[in-house]
Amino acid sequence: MSMAVEPDSAGVRFPPPFIYLGALLLGLTAERFVTLRSFGIDGWLLVATGALLFVAGAAMMLAAAGLFRRLGTNVPPSQPTTLIATTGPYRWTRNPMYLGMALVYASLTIGFDGPIAFALLPLVLIAIQTQVIAREERYLEAKFGDDYRRYKTEVRRWL
């Protein structure tokens, strides 16, 4: 599934949540066919850890998306960005939505006791970094210049 890409945008053609979802489904499906199918940890601890990570990730994503809406800028990276968000979760990370998605992904792999799906997370993060974040950062630097470069020096990419 491809997104309609506006000319004034980062040019991201594939919805980032689907990158996470595709890898998650691939990993959880692989669990059915491979011998290593468990972290080897008590189920209640897996569920509790997964729930905690899920709440943290969902809260981060919702806070970031809500801030974008309040500021009047677009959430999808296929749409124009009207300003640089520097408040809320953007004070600590330049990519709270992708960090939140990574936490939700990790929460589901842990909660469903899916070590293969969990092992795919670094590949997902590489894809997000190279195919989404790198495009966004080039776009934001071109559009906002020194303001964005200054923000990049003050706030880390992930944490």
Side-chain angles (χ1 to χ4, degrees):
M1 167 180 238
S2 176
M3 296 188 288
V5 178
E6 296 282 331
D8 175 21
S9 75
V12 175
R13 299 187 185 288
F14 197 78
F18 289 162
I19 296 170
Y20 287 93
L21 180 61
L24 179 66
L25 293 175
L26 177 67
L28 292 175
T29 300
E31 307 278 341
R32 303 176 69 87
F33 303 104
V34 178
T35 307
L36 172 68
R37 295 194 316 221
S38 176
F39 286 111
I41 300 171
D42 286 331
W44 70 269
L45 184 57
L46 290 173
V47 171
T49 302
L52 181 65
L53 288 173
F54 187 90
V55 168
M60 185 170 291
M61 287 188 304
L62 291 172
L67 178 62
F68 268 32
R69 288 186 184 93
R70 282 191 305 281
L71 294 174
T73 194
N74 294 301
V75 173
S78 59
Q79 300 294 310
T81 299
T82 58
L83 54 83
I84 304 166
T86 59
T87 61
Y90 290 90
R91 290 177 294 190
W92 304 290
T93 173
R94 296 195 312 260
N95 297 289
M97 288 185 222
Y98 303 136
L99 178 58
M101 287 179 212
L103 290 172
V104 167
Y105 179 103
S107 79
L108 294 171
T109 64
I110 292 168
F112 288 121
D113 198 12
I116 294 172
F118 187 80
L120 293 176
L121 182 55
L123 298 175
V124 172
L125 296 178
I126 289 168
I128 292 293
Q129 174 58 43
T130 61
Q131 301 305 307
V132 179
I133 293 172
R135 290 174 190 234
E136 289 178 345
E137 289 189 340
R138 283 192 301 272
Y139 166 69
L140 294 171
E141 278 195 36
K143 186 164 185 167
F144 298 107
D146 288 339
D147 287 339
Y148 185 70
R149 283 188 281 281
R150 189 171 23 263
Y151 174 67
K152 276 177 50 173
T153 64
E154 295 169 1
V155 178
R156 292 180 177 197
R157 177 175 289 133
W158 291 101
L159 279 178

